[in-house]
Amino acid sequence: LKPASDTGLPAYQIAQCFWEAGVPRSALQLIPCSGGGAGKRLVTDPRIDAVVLTGGTETARQMLGLRPELHLIAETGGKNATIVTSLSDRDLAIKHLLHSAFSHSGQKCSATSLLMLQQELYDDPTFRESLADAAESLTVGSAWNLESKVGPLIRPPSGELETGIKELESGEDWLVMPKHVDDNPCLYRPGIKWNVAPGSFTHKTELFGPGLGVMPFGRLEQAIEMVN
């Protein structure tokens, strides 16, 4: 088990659970170290039969570039969407949508980062206000506070995430603008970006943080096509 540099301690705790349950240390070994050198040596070692990766798409491509015949089982980047039609239970849709988008501050591979709204809902000011109010009402705070619905990011936002929660493209507006909380560089109130265009940065980029893009659609088939 070679954890990311940011997650050495939780990886150790997980390994401890397995060892205490009887898994031999010779079968499960923990390698807490920075990624580049150790990862390269592991991937290219012929004694390694297979690699299971949870990480970025680029990392997976690098592994296969180093060793094309490697049996790589990889769960990599994506852009998860929730499609809400005008026939939905609107309050329930908002409840589940915000839970998926902003629990863990959006730092999970299954987090909704794109909301597809049927035009009738998209144009409904009551739905729009309810969505904004519900997002702004989420409790944002320390992970040690059990009432927090949105906790801190694993590190201050940078790269694509920083762009996604700080910049707008042509035609976009903030339904809810993300904001710092308590001067903590890792703690942000969720942001909802309205009128995201097909093919835009927010449409096509996995942000892995507390940012949600909203796009309108006419027919369900159109929504599925835009998601794909």
Side-chain angles (χ1 to χ4, degrees):
L1 173 58
K2 210 295 290 178
S5 301
D6 294 306
T7 59
L9 182 56
Y12 174 73
Q13 297 287 351
I14 291 169
Q16 285 278 83
C17 292
F18 279 101
W19 293 330
E20 291 171 7
V23 175
R25 287 177 180 258
S26 58
L28 173 60
Q29 300 173 47
L30 178 67
I31 310 174
C33 56
S34 60
K40 182 177 180 179
R41 290 191 66 178
L42 283 169
V43 167
T44 56
D45 193 312
R47 293 171 294 177
I48 300 294
D49 293 321
V51 171
V52 179
L53 168 71
T54 298
T57 303
E58 188 56 37
T59 302
R61 288 179 176 146
Q62 288 173 358
M63 288 182 173
L64 291 177
L66 290 168
R67 191 175 165 197
E69 76 281 6
L70 176 68
H71 181 197
L72 177 63
I73 305 158
E75 185 274 317
T76 59
K79 186 71 177 175
N80 282 352
T82 296
I83 299 173
V84 182
T85 73
S86 56
L87 296 177
S88 67
D89 180 319
R90 301 182 180 195
D91 290 337
L92 200 58
I94 290 173
K95 175 185 175 181
H96 291 315
L97 170 72
L98 295 184
H99 175 62
S100 178
F102 300 132
S103 295
H104 307 286
S105 286
Q107 297 171 112
K108 58 193 183 90
C109 299
S110 60
T112 293
S113 59
L114 197 63
L115 169 60
M116 313 296 298
L117 281 183
Q118 196 156 22
Q119 196 72 50
E120 179 184 332
L121 274 180
Y122 186 85
D123 294 336
D124 183 349
T126 301
F127 181 87
R128 178 179 165 124
E129 290 165 12
S130 297
L131 175 61
D133 181 64
E136 290 170 340
S137 299
L138 293 172
T139 303
V140 181
S142 167
W144 299 107
N145 178 4
L146 298 183
E147 295 181 357
S148 295
K149 184 67 175 176
V150 182
L153 296 162
I154 196 168
R155 68 177 75 87
S158 61
E160 292 177 338
L161 175 57
E162 186 175 26
T163 299
I165 65 173
K166 292 187 176 181
E167 298 182 16
L168 293 173
E169 291 188 88
S170 177
E172 296 177 344
D173 293 298
W174 290 114
L175 177 64
V176 177
M177 182 179 288
K179 297 177 182 177
H180 268 132
V181 177
D182 297 334
D183 295 322
N184 183 339
C186 296
L187 197 57
Y188 276 79
R189 288 199 163 280
I192 300 179
K193 196 176 288 187
W194 199 260
N195 198 36
V196 171
S200 65
F201 175 85
T202 300
H203 176 206
K204 301 183 73 174
T205 306
E206 183 185 31
L207 299 178
F208 217 72
L212 177 67
V214 183
M215 301 177 70
F217 71 90
R219 301 178 67 250
L220 182 59
E221 292 78 9
Q222 180 192 11
I224 294 170
E225 182 180 346
M226 287 194 290
V227 170
N228 288 336

